[in-house]
Coordinates of all heavy atoms in Angstrom, one line a residue:
M1 N -11.6 -5.8 -11.5 CA -10.8 -5.6 -10.2 C -9.7 -4.5 -10.6 O -9.2 -4.5 -11.8 CB -10.1 -6.9 -9.8 CG -9.4 -6.8 -8.5 SD -8.9 -8.3 -7.7 CE -9.8 -9.6 -8.2
F2 N -9.2 -3.8 -9.7 CA -8.3 -2.8 -9.9 C -7.1 -3.0 -8.9 O -7.2 -3.5 -7.8 CB -8.9 -1.4 -9.5 CG -8.1 -0.2 -9.9 CD1 -7.9 0.3 -11.1 CD2 -7.6 0.6 -8.8 CE1 -7.1 1.3 -11.4 CE2 -6.7 1.6 -8.9 CZ -6.5 2.1 -10.3
A3 N -5.8 -2.6 -9.5 CA -4.8 -2.7 -8.5 C -4.0 -1.3 -8.4 O -3.9 -0.7 -9.3 CB -3.6 -3.7 -9.2
R4 N -4.1 -0.9 -7.1 CA -3.3 0.3 -6.7 C -1.9 0.0 -6.4 O -1.7 -0.8 -5.4 CB -4.1 0.9 -5.5 CG -3.5 2.2 -5.1 CD -3.7 3.3 -6.1 NE -5.0 3.7 -6.2 CZ -5.5 4.5 -7.2 NH1 -4.6 5.0 -8.1 NH2 -6.8 4.7 -7.3
M5 N -1.0 0.5 -7.2 CA 0.6 0.2 -6.9 C 1.2 1.5 -6.5 O 1.1 2.5 -7.2 CB 1.1 -0.4 -8.2 CG 0.4 -1.7 -8.7 SD 0.7 -2.1 -10.4 CE -0.3 -0.9 -11.2
T6 N 1.9 1.5 -5.4 CA 2.6 2.5 -4.9 C 4.0 2.4 -4.5 O 4.3 1.6 -3.6 CB 1.8 3.2 -3.6 OG1 0.4 3.3 -3.9 CG2 2.3 4.4 -3.2
P7 N 4.9 2.8 -5.3 CA 6.3 2.8 -4.9 C 6.7 3.7 -3.7 O 6.1 4.8 -3.7 CB 7.1 3.2 -6.1 CG 6.1 4.1 -6.8 CD 4.8 3.6 -6.5
Y8 N 7.5 3.4 -2.9 CA 8.0 4.2 -1.8 C 9.4 4.0 -1.5 O 10.0 3.0 -1.8 CB 7.1 4.1 -0.6 CG 7.2 2.6 0.1 CD1 8.0 2.4 1.0 CD2 6.4 1.6 -0.3 CE1 8.2 1.2 1.7 CE2 6.6 0.4 0.3 CZ 7.4 0.1 1.2 OH 7.5 -1.0 1.9
Q9 N 9.9 4.9 -0.7 CA 11.3 4.7 -0.2 C 11.4 5.2 1.3 O 10.9 6.3 1.7 CB 12.2 5.7 -0.9 CG 13.8 5.8 -0.6 CD 14.4 4.4 -0.9 OE1 14.4 3.9 -2.0 NE2 15.0 3.8 0.2
L10 N 12.0 4.2 2.0 CA 12.1 4.5 3.4 C 13.4 5.3 3.7 O 14.4 5.3 3.0 CB 12.2 3.1 4.2 CG 11.1 2.3 4.2 CD1 11.3 0.9 5.0 CD2 9.8 3.0 4.8
K11 N 13.4 6.0 4.9 CA 14.7 6.8 5.3 C 15.6 5.7 5.7 O 15.3 4.5 6.2 CB 14.3 7.6 6.6 CG 13.4 8.7 6.2 CD 13.1 9.5 7.5 CE 12.2 10.7 7.2 NZ 11.8 11.4 8.4
P12 N 17.0 6.0 5.6 CA 18.0 5.0 6.1 C 17.7 4.6 7.6 O 17.4 5.5 8.3 CB 19.2 5.8 5.9 CG 18.9 6.7 4.8 CD 17.6 7.1 5.0
G13 N 17.7 3.3 7.9 CA 17.7 3.0 9.2 C 16.2 2.8 9.7 O 16.0 2.4 10.8
A14 N 15.3 3.0 8.8 CA 13.7 3.0 9.3 C 13.1 1.7 9.0 O 11.8 1.6 9.4 CB 13.1 4.1 8.6
R15 N 13.8 0.8 8.5 CA 13.2 -0.5 8.1 C 12.3 -1.2 9.3 O 11.2 -1.4 9.2 CB 14.1 -1.6 7.5 CG 13.6 -2.9 7.1 CD 14.6 -3.8 6.6 NE 14.0 -4.9 6.2 CZ 13.8 -5.3 5.0 NH1 14.1 -4.4 4.0 NH2 13.4 -6.5 4.6
D16 N 13.0 -1.4 10.4 CA 12.3 -2.2 11.5 C 11.1 -1.4 12.1 O 10.0 -1.9 12.2 CB 13.3 -2.5 12.6 CG 14.3 -3.6 12.2 OD1 14.0 -4.2 11.2 OD2 15.3 -3.6 12.8
A17 N 11.3 -0.1 12.2 CA 10.2 0.8 12.7 C 9.0 0.9 11.7 O 7.8 0.9 12.1 CB 10.7 2.2 13.1
A18 N 9.3 1.0 10.5 CA 8.3 1.0 9.4 C 7.4 -0.2 9.4 O 6.2 -0.2 9.2 CB 8.9 1.3 8.1
I19 N 8.2 -1.4 9.5 CA 7.5 -2.6 9.5 C 6.5 -2.8 10.7 O 5.4 -3.2 10.7 CB 8.4 -3.8 9.5 CG1 9.1 -3.9 8.0 CG2 7.7 -5.3 9.7 CD1 10.2 -4.8 7.9
A20 N 7.1 -2.4 12.0 CA 6.2 -2.3 13.1 C 5.1 -1.4 13.0 O 3.9 -1.8 13.4 CB 7.1 -1.9 14.3
T21 N 5.2 -0.2 12.3 CA 4.0 0.7 12.2 C 3.1 0.0 11.2 O 1.8 0.1 11.4 CB 4.5 2.1 11.7 OG1 5.5 2.7 12.6 CG2 3.5 2.9 11.4
M22 N 3.5 -0.7 10.1 CA 2.6 -1.2 9.2 C 1.8 -2.4 9.9 O 0.5 -2.5 9.7 CB 3.4 -1.9 8.1 CG 2.5 -2.6 7.1 SD 3.6 -3.6 5.9 CE 4.2 -4.8 7.2
E23 N 2.4 -3.1 10.8 CA 1.7 -4.2 11.5 C 0.6 -3.6 12.4 O -0.4 -4.1 12.6 CB 2.8 -5.0 12.4 CG 3.6 -5.9 11.4 CD 2.9 -7.0 10.8 OE1 1.7 -7.4 11.2 OE2 3.5 -7.5 9.7
E24 N 0.9 -2.4 13.0 CA 0.0 -1.7 13.9 C -1.2 -1.3 12.9 O -2.3 -1.1 13.5 CB 0.6 -0.6 14.6 CG 1.6 -0.9 15.6 CD 2.4 0.3 16.1 OE1 2.1 1.5 15.8 OE2 3.4 0.1 16.8
M25 N -1.0 -1.0 11.8 CA -2.0 -0.4 10.8 C -2.8 -1.5 10.2 O -3.8 -1.2 9.4 CB -1.4 0.5 9.7 CG -0.7 1.7 10.4 SD 0.2 2.7 9.3 CE -0.4 2.5 7.7
K26 N -2.5 -2.8 10.3 CA -3.0 -3.9 9.5 C -4.5 -3.8 9.6 O -5.2 -3.9 8.5 CB -2.6 -5.2 10.1 CG -3.1 -6.5 9.4 CD -2.6 -7.7 10.0 CE -3.2 -9.0 9.2 NZ -2.7 -10.2 9.7
A27 N -5.2 -3.8 10.7 CA -6.7 -3.8 10.8 C -7.2 -2.6 10.0 O -8.2 -2.8 9.3 CB -7.2 -3.8 12.2
D28 N -6.6 -1.4 10.1 CA -7.2 -0.2 9.3 C -7.0 -0.4 7.9 O -7.8 0.0 7.0 CB -6.4 1.0 9.8 CG -6.8 1.3 11.2 OD1 -7.9 1.1 11.8 OD2 -5.8 1.8 11.9
I29 N -5.9 -1.0 7.4 CA -5.6 -1.2 6.0 C -6.7 -2.2 5.5 O -7.3 -2.1 4.5 CB -4.2 -1.7 5.7 CG1 -3.2 -0.6 6.0 CG2 -4.1 -2.3 4.2 CD1 -1.7 -1.1 6.2
L30 N -6.9 -3.3 6.2 CA -7.8 -4.4 5.6 C -9.3 -3.9 5.8 O -10.1 -4.5 5.1 CB -7.5 -5.8 6.4 CG -6.1 -6.3 6.1 CD1 -5.8 -7.6 7.0 CD2 -5.9 -6.6 4.7
A31 N -9.5 -3.0 6.6 CA -10.8 -2.5 6.8 C -11.3 -1.5 5.7 O -12.5 -1.1 5.5 CB -11.0 -1.8 8.0
L32 N -10.3 -1.2 4.8 CA -10.7 -0.3 3.7 C -11.8 -0.9 2.7 O -11.5 -2.1 2.4 CB -9.4 0.1 2.7 CG -8.4 1.1 3.5 CD1 -7.1 1.1 2.8 CD2 -9.0 2.6 3.5
P33 N -12.8 -0.2 2.4 CA -13.8 -0.8 1.6 C -13.1 -1.4 0.2 O -12.4 -0.8 -0.4 CB -14.7 0.3 1.2 CG -14.5 1.3 2.4 CD -13.1 1.2 2.8
G34 N -13.6 -2.6 -0.1 CA -13.2 -3.2 -1.4 C -12.0 -3.9 -1.5 O -11.6 -4.5 -2.5
V35 N -11.1 -3.8 -0.5 CA -9.7 -4.4 -0.5 C -9.9 -5.8 -0.4 O -10.5 -6.5 0.3 CB -8.9 -3.8 0.7 CG1 -7.5 -4.5 0.7 CG2 -8.6 -2.4 0.4
K36 N -9.3 -6.5 -1.5 CA -9.2 -8.0 -1.7 C -7.9 -8.6 -1.1 O -7.8 -9.8 -0.7 CB -9.5 -8.4 -3.0 CG -10.9 -8.0 -3.5 CD -12.0 -8.5 -2.8 CE -13.4 -8.1 -3.3 NZ -14.5 -8.5 -2.5
R37 N -6.9 -7.8 -1.4 CA -5.5 -8.2 -1.1 C -4.6 -7.1 -0.9 O -4.7 -5.9 -1.5 CB -4.9 -9.1 -2.1 CG -3.5 -9.7 -1.8 CD -3.2 -10.8 -2.7 NE -4.2 -11.9 -2.6 CZ -4.0 -13.1 -3.0 NH1 -2.9 -13.4 -3.6 NH2 -4.8 -14.0 -2.8
F38 N -3.6 -7.2 0.1 CA -2.7 -6.1 0.5 C -1.3 -6.8 0.4 O -1.2 -7.8 1.2 CB -3.0 -5.5 1.8 CG -1.9 -4.5 2.2 CD1 -2.0 -3.3 1.7 CD2 -0.8 -4.8 3.0 CE1 -0.9 -2.3 2.0 CE2 0.2 -4.0 3.4 CZ 0.1 -2.6 3.0
I39 N -0.4 -6.3 -0.3 CA 1.0 -6.8 -0.4 C 1.9 -5.6 -0.4 O 1.8 -4.7 -1.0 CB 1.2 -7.5 -1.9 CG1 0.2 -8.7 -2.2 CG2 2.7 -8.0 -1.9 CD1 0.2 -9.2 -3.5
N40 N 2.9 -5.9 0.5 CA 4.0 -4.8 0.7 C 5.3 -5.5 0.4 O 5.6 -6.5 1.1 CB 3.9 -4.2 2.2 CG 4.8 -3.1 2.3 OD1 5.7 -2.9 1.5 ND2 4.5 -2.2 3.2
V41 N 5.9 -5.1 -0.5 CA 7.4 -5.6 -0.9 C 8.4 -4.6 -0.6 O 8.3 -3.5 -0.9 CB 7.4 -5.9 -2.3 CG1 8.7 -6.5 -2.7 CG2 6.2 -6.8 -2.8
L42 N 9.4 -5.1 0.3 CA 10.5 -4.2 0.8 C 11.9 -4.8 0.4 O 12.2 -5.8 0.9 CB 10.3 -3.9 2.2 CG 11.3 -2.9 2.9 CD1 11.2 -1.6 2.2 CD2 10.9 -2.9 4.4
A43 N 12.7 -4.0 -0.3 CA 14.0 -4.4 -0.8 C 15.0 -4.0 0.4 O 14.7 -3.2 1.3 CB 14.4 -3.7 -2.0
E44 N 16.2 -4.6 0.5 CA 17.2 -4.2 1.5 C 17.6 -2.8 1.5 O 18.1 -2.2 2.5 CB 18.4 -5.1 1.3 CG 18.1 -6.6 1.6 CD 19.4 -7.4 1.6 OE1 20.5 -6.9 1.7 OE2 19.2 -8.7 1.4
D45 N 17.4 -2.1 0.3 CA 17.8 -0.6 0.3 C 16.8 0.2 0.7 O 17.0 1.5 0.7 CB 18.3 -0.3 -1.2 CG 17.2 -0.3 -2.2 OD1 16.0 -0.7 -1.9 OD2 17.4 0.0 -3.4
G46 N 15.7 -0.4 1.3 CA 14.5 0.5 1.8 C 13.5 1.0 0.6 O 12.7 1.7 1.1
S47 N 13.8 0.6 -0.5 CA 12.7 0.8 -1.5 C 11.7 -0.2 -1.5 O 12.0 -1.5 -1.2 CB 13.4 0.8 -2.9 OG 13.9 -0.4 -3.3
G48 N 10.5 0.1 -1.8 CA 9.4 -0.8 -1.7 C 8.2 -0.5 -2.7 O 8.2 0.6 -3.3
Y49 N 7.2 -1.5 -2.6 CA 6.0 -1.3 -3.4 C 4.9 -1.8 -2.4 O 5.0 -2.9 -1.8 CB 5.9 -2.1 -4.7 CG 6.8 -1.5 -5.7 CD1 8.1 -1.8 -5.9 CD2 6.3 -0.5 -6.6 CE1 8.9 -1.3 -6.9 CE2 7.1 0.0 -7.6 CZ 8.4 -0.4 -7.8 OH 9.1 0.2 -8.7
V50 N 3.8 -1.0 -2.5 CA 2.5 -1.5 -1.9 C 1.6 -1.8 -3.1 O 1.4 -1.0 -4.0 CB 2.0 -0.5 -1.0 CG1 0.4 -0.9 -0.6 CG2 2.7 -0.4 0.3
V51 N 1.0 -3.1 -3.1 CA 0.1 -3.5 -4.1 C -1.2 -3.8 -3.5 O -1.2 -4.7 -2.6 CB 0.6 -4.5 -5.0 CG1 -0.4 -5.0 -6.1 CG2 1.9 -4.2 -5.7
S52 N -2.4 -3.2 -3.7 CA -3.6 -3.4 -3.2 C -4.6 -3.8 -4.3 O -4.7 -3.0 -5.2 CB -4.1 -2.2 -2.4 OG -3.3 -1.9 -1.3
L53 N -5.1 -5.0 -4.2 CA -6.2 -5.3 -5.1 C -7.5 -5.0 -4.6 O -7.9 -5.2 -3.4 CB -6.1 -6.9 -5.4 CG -4.8 -7.4 -6.0 CD1 -5.0 -8.9 -6.3 CD2 -4.5 -6.7 -7.3
V54 N -8.2 -4.1 -5.3 CA -9.5 -3.5 -4.9 C -10.5 -3.9 -5.9 O -10.4 -4.1 -7.1 CB -9.4 -2.1 -4.7 CG1 -10.5 -1.3 -4.1 CG2 -8.1 -1.7 -3.9
E55 N -11.9 -4.0 -5.4 CA -13.0 -4.3 -6.3 C -13.0 -3.6 -7.6 O -13.3 -4.2 -8.6 CB -14.3 -3.9 -5.4 CG -14.7 -5.0 -4.4 CD -15.9 -4.5 -3.7 OE1 -16.6 -3.6 -4.2 OE2 -16.2 -5.1 -2.6
S56 N -12.8 -2.3 -7.4 CA -12.8 -1.5 -8.8 C -12.0 -0.2 -8.4 O -11.7 0.2 -7.4 CB -14.3 -1.0 -9.0 OG -14.8 -0.2 -8.0
R57 N -11.8 0.5 -9.7 CA -11.2 1.8 -9.6 C -11.9 2.8 -8.8 O -11.5 3.6 -8.1 CB -11.0 2.4 -10.9 CG -10.3 3.6 -11.1 CD -10.3 4.1 -12.5 NE -9.4 3.4 -13.3 CZ -8.1 3.6 -13.6 NH1 -7.4 4.5 -13.2 NH2 -7.5 2.7 -14.5
E58 N -13.3 2.7 -8.9 CA -14.2 3.7 -8.3 C -14.1 3.6 -6.7 O -14.0 4.6 -6.0 CB -15.6 3.5 -8.7 CG -15.9 3.9 -10.2 CD -15.5 2.8 -11.2 OE1 -15.1 1.6 -10.8 OE2 -15.2 3.2 -12.3
V59 N -14.1 2.2 -6.3 CA -13.9 2.1 -4.9 C -12.5 2.4 -4.4 O -12.5 3.1 -3.3 CB -14.2 0.5 -4.6 CG1 -13.8 0.2 -3.1 CG2 -15.6 0.1 -4.9
S60 N -11.5 2.1 -5.1 CA -10.2 2.6 -4.8 C -10.1 4.1 -4.7 O -9.5 4.6 -3.7 CB -9.1 2.0 -5.8 OG -7.9 2.4 -5.4
D61 N -10.6 4.8 -5.7 CA -10.5 6.3 -5.7 C -11.3 6.8 -4.5 O -10.9 7.8 -3.8 CB -11.2 6.8 -6.9 CG -10.3 6.6 -8.2 OD1 -9.1 6.2 -8.0 OD2 -10.8 6.8 -9.3
A62 N -12.5 6.2 -4.1 CA -13.3 6.7 -3.0 C -12.5 6.5 -1.6 O -12.7 7.2 -0.7 CB -14.6 5.8 -2.9
N63 N -11.5 5.5 -1.7 CA -10.6 5.3 -0.4 C -9.4 6.3 -0.3 O -8.7 6.3 0.7 CB -10.0 4.0 -0.4 CG -11.2 2.8 -0.2 OD1 -12.2 3.1 0.4 ND2 -10.8 1.7 -0.6
A64 N -9.4 7.2 -1.3 CA -8.1 8.0 -1.4 C -7.8 8.8 -0.1 O -6.6 8.8 0.3 CB -8.1 8.9 -2.5
E65 N -8.8 9.4 0.6 CA -8.5 10.2 1.7 C -8.0 9.4 2.9 O -7.1 9.7 3.5 CB -9.7 11.0 2.1 CG -9.6 12.1 3.0 CD -8.6 13.2 2.5 OE1 -8.6 13.6 1.4 OE2 -7.7 13.6 3.3
R66 N -8.7 8.2 3.0 CA -8.3 7.3 4.1 C -6.9 6.7 3.8 O -6.2 6.6 4.7 CB -9.4 6.1 4.2 CG -10.6 6.6 4.9 CD -11.7 5.6 4.7 NE -11.4 4.5 5.8 CZ -12.2 3.4 6.0 NH1 -13.2 3.2 5.2 NH2 -11.8 2.5 6.9
V67 N -6.6 6.5 2.6 CA -5.2 5.9 2.2 C -4.1 7.0 2.4 O -3.0 6.7 3.1 CB -5.2 5.3 0.7 CG1 -3.8 5.0 0.3 CG2 -6.2 4.2 0.6
R68 N -4.5 8.2 2.2 CA -3.6 9.3 2.5 C -3.2 9.4 3.9 O -2.1 9.7 4.4 CB -4.0 10.7 1.9 CG -3.7 10.9 0.5 CD -3.9 12.4 0.1 NE -5.3 12.6 -0.1 CZ -6.2 12.5 -1.0 NH1 -5.6 11.8 -2.1 NH2 -7.4 12.6 -1.1
A69 N -4.4 9.2 4.7 CA -4.1 9.3 6.2 C -3.2 8.2 6.8 O -2.4 8.4 7.6 CB -5.5 9.2 6.9
L70 N -3.4 6.9 6.1 CA -2.6 5.8 6.4 C -1.1 6.1 6.2 O -0.2 5.8 6.9 CB -3.0 4.4 5.8 CG -4.4 4.0 6.4 CD1 -5.0 2.9 5.4 CD2 -4.2 3.5 7.8
W71 N -1.0 6.6 4.8 CA 0.5 6.9 4.5 C 1.0 8.0 5.4 O 2.2 8.0 5.7 CB 0.5 7.4 3.1 CG 0.6 6.3 2.1 CD1 -0.4 5.9 1.1 CD2 1.7 5.3 2.0 NE1 0.0 4.8 0.4 CE2 1.4 4.5 0.9 CE3 2.9 5.2 2.5 CZ2 2.1 3.4 0.4 CZ3 3.8 4.2 2.2 CH2 3.3 3.3 1.0
G72 N 0.2 8.9 5.9 CA 0.6 9.9 6.8 C 1.2 9.3 8.1 O 2.1 9.8 8.8
R73 N 0.6 8.3 8.5 CA 1.1 7.5 9.7 C 2.4 6.9 9.5 O 3.1 6.7 10.4 CB 0.0 6.5 10.2 CG -1.2 7.1 10.7 CD -2.4 6.1 11.0 NE -2.0 5.0 11.9 CZ -2.9 4.0 12.0 NH1 -4.2 4.0 11.4 NH2 -2.7 3.1 12.8
M74 N 2.7 6.6 8.2 CA 4.1 6.1 7.9 C 5.0 7.2 7.7 O 6.2 7.0 7.5 CB 4.0 5.2 6.7 CG 3.2 3.8 6.8 SD 4.0 2.7 7.9 CE 5.6 2.4 6.9
G75 N 4.6 8.4 7.6 CA 5.5 9.5 7.3 C 6.8 9.7 7.9 O 7.8 10.0 7.3
P76 N 6.8 9.4 9.3 CA 8.1 9.4 9.9 C 9.2 8.6 9.4 O 10.3 8.7 9.6 CB 7.9 9.2 11.4 CG 6.4 9.5 11.5 CD 5.8 9.1 10.2
H77 N 8.8 7.6 8.7 CA 9.8 6.5 8.2 C 10.1 6.7 6.8 O 10.9 6.2 6.1 CB 9.2 5.1 8.4 CG 8.6 4.8 9.7 ND1 9.4 5.0 10.9 CD2 7.3 4.5 10.2 CE1 8.5 4.8 12.0 NE2 7.3 4.4 11.6
L78 N 9.3 7.5 6.1 CA 9.4 7.7 4.6 C 10.3 8.8 4.2 O 10.4 9.9 4.8 CB 8.1 7.9 4.0 CG 7.0 6.9 4.1 CD1 5.6 7.4 3.7 CD2 7.4 5.7 3.3
A79 N 11.1 8.5 3.2 CA 11.9 9.6 2.6 C 11.1 10.7 1.9 O 11.5 11.9 2.0 CB 13.0 9.0 1.5
E80 N 10.1 10.3 1.4 CA 9.1 11.3 0.9 C 7.7 10.7 0.7 O 7.7 9.4 0.7 CB 9.6 11.9 -0.5 CG 9.7 10.8 -1.5 CD 10.3 11.4 -2.9 OE1 10.8 12.4 -2.8 OE2 10.1 10.7 -3.9
M81 N 6.7 11.5 0.7 CA 5.3 10.9 0.5 C 5.2 10.3 -0.9 O 5.6 10.8 -1.9 CB 4.3 12.0 0.6 CG 3.5 12.0 1.7 SD 3.1 10.5 2.6 CE 3.2 11.2 4.3
P82 N 4.7 9.0 -0.9 CA 4.7 8.3 -2.2 C 3.6 8.9 -3.1 O 2.5 9.4 -2.6 CB 4.4 6.9 -1.8 CG 3.9 7.0 -0.4 CD 4.5 8.2 0.2
V83 N 3.7 8.5 -4.4 CA 2.6 8.9 -5.3 C 2.0 7.7 -5.9 O 2.7 6.8 -6.5 CB 3.1 9.8 -6.5 CG1 2.2 10.0 -7.5 CG2 3.8 10.9 -6.0
P84 N 0.7 7.3 -5.6 CA 0.1 6.1 -6.0 C -0.1 6.0 -7.6 O -0.3 7.1 -8.1 CB -1.1 6.1 -5.2 CG -1.5 7.4 -5.0 CD -0.2 8.1 -4.8
G85 N -0.2 4.9 -8.0 CA -0.6 4.7 -9.5 C -1.5 3.4 -9.4 O -1.8 3.0 -8.3
G86 N -1.8 3.0 -10.6 CA -2.7 1.8 -10.6 C -3.1 1.5 -11.9 O -2.9 2.1 -13.0
G87 N -4.0 0.4 -12.1 CA -4.4 -0.1 -13.2 C -5.4 -1.3 -13.2 O -5.5 -1.8 -12.1
D88 N -6.1 -1.6 -14.2 CA -7.0 -2.7 -14.3 C -6.3 -4.0 -14.2 O -5.2 -4.2 -14.8 CB -7.8 -2.6 -15.5 CG -8.8 -1.5 -15.6 OD1 -9.2 -1.0 -14.5 OD2 -9.0 -0.9 -16.7
V89 N -6.7 -4.9 -13.4 CA -6.1 -6.1 -13.3 C -6.4 -7.0 -14.4 O -7.7 -7.2 -14.7 CB -6.5 -7.0 -11.9 CG1 -6.0 -8.4 -11.9 CG2 -6.1 -6.1 -10.7
V90 N -5.5 -7.4 -15.3 CA -5.9 -8.3 -16.5 C -5.5 -9.7 -16.3 O -5.9 -10.5 -17.1 CB -5.2 -7.7 -17.8 CG1 -5.7 -6.2 -18.1 CG2 -3.6 -7.7 -17.5
A91 N -4.8 -10.1 -15.2 CA -4.5 -11.4 -14.9 C -4.2 -11.4 -13.2 O -3.6 -10.6 -12.8 CB -3.3 -11.9 -15.6
N92 N -4.8 -12.4 -12.7 CA -4.6 -12.5 -11.3 C -4.6 -14.1 -11.1 O -5.5 -14.7 -10.6 CB -5.8 -12.0 -10.4 CG -5.6 -12.1 -9.0 OD1 -4.5 -12.5 -8.5 ND2 -6.6 -11.9 -8.3
W93 N -3.5 -14.7 -11.3 CA -3.3 -16.3 -11.4 C -2.7 -16.8 -10.1 O -1.9 -16.2 -9.6 CB -2.4 -16.6 -12.6 CG -2.9 -16.2 -13.9 CD1 -4.0 -15.9 -14.4 CD2 -2.1 -15.9 -15.1 NE1 -4.2 -15.5 -15.7 CE2 -3.0 -15.5 -16.1 CE3 -0.7 -16.0 -15.3 CZ2 -2.4 -15.2 -17.5 CZ3 -0.3 -15.7 -16.5 CH2 -1.1 -15.3 -17.6
T94 N -3.3 -17.9 -9.8 CA -2.5 -18.6 -8.7 C -2.4 -20.1 -9.3 O -3.3 -20.6 -10.0 CB -3.4 -18.6 -7.4 OG1 -4.8 -19.2 -7.8 CG2 -3.5 -17.3 -6.8
P95 N -1.3 -20.7 -8.9 CA -1.2 -22.1 -9.4 C -2.2 -23.1 -8.8 O -2.6 -23.0 -7.7 CB 0.1 -22.4 -9.0 CG 0.6 -21.6 -7.9 CD -0.3 -20.3 -8.0

């Protein structure tokens, strides 16, 4: 399994609109091939992280164009376009 981790920063005052846009995009995000889990963490200062667990790095890489388009839809709320990172999942524990 592969985790795509993307830090981002919202524009000041964009929190509510960004969350609403994300909710509108839910079906498109979850329809990405190989996505097992989508987590979006947002701090009070507008900084956040998106973590997507995906079947493999290859599947995640193949989704890159669609993911860029999704981030483009968030563009009006973002301070700048985020740069994704990622790595192999070495632990995925639940109690």
Side-chain angles (χ1 to χ4, degrees):
M1 193 171 329
F2 184 75
R4 180 68 65 195
M5 299 164 289
T6 307
Y8 67 92
Q9 179 67 51
L10 295 178
K11 292 177 182 173
R15 182 185 180 94
D16 292 341
I19 292 171
T21 299
M22 178 195 63
E23 290 292 338
E24 292 170 6
M25 296 169 30
K26 180 179 179 179
D28 295 325
I29 293 167
L30 295 178
L32 289 166
V35 171
K36 301 296 184 189
R37 182 166 299 196
F38 174 85
I39 302 167
N40 190 340
V41 180
L42 183 57
E44 288 184 25
D45 67 356
S47 64
Y49 286 90
V50 168
V51 179
S52 297
L53 298 183
V54 185
E55 283 178 15
S56 68
R57 179 185 299 266
E58 294 77 20
V59 171
S60 182
D61 289 348
N63 289 337
E65 194 62 39
R66 290 174 69 182
V67 171
R68 273 192 289 278
L70 289 168
W71 278 112
R73 289 168 59 185
M74 290 294 293
H77 314 302
L78 296 170
E80 60 186 18
M81 252 330 142
V83 177
D88 296 324
V89 175
V90 296
N92 182 15
W93 301 333
T94 55

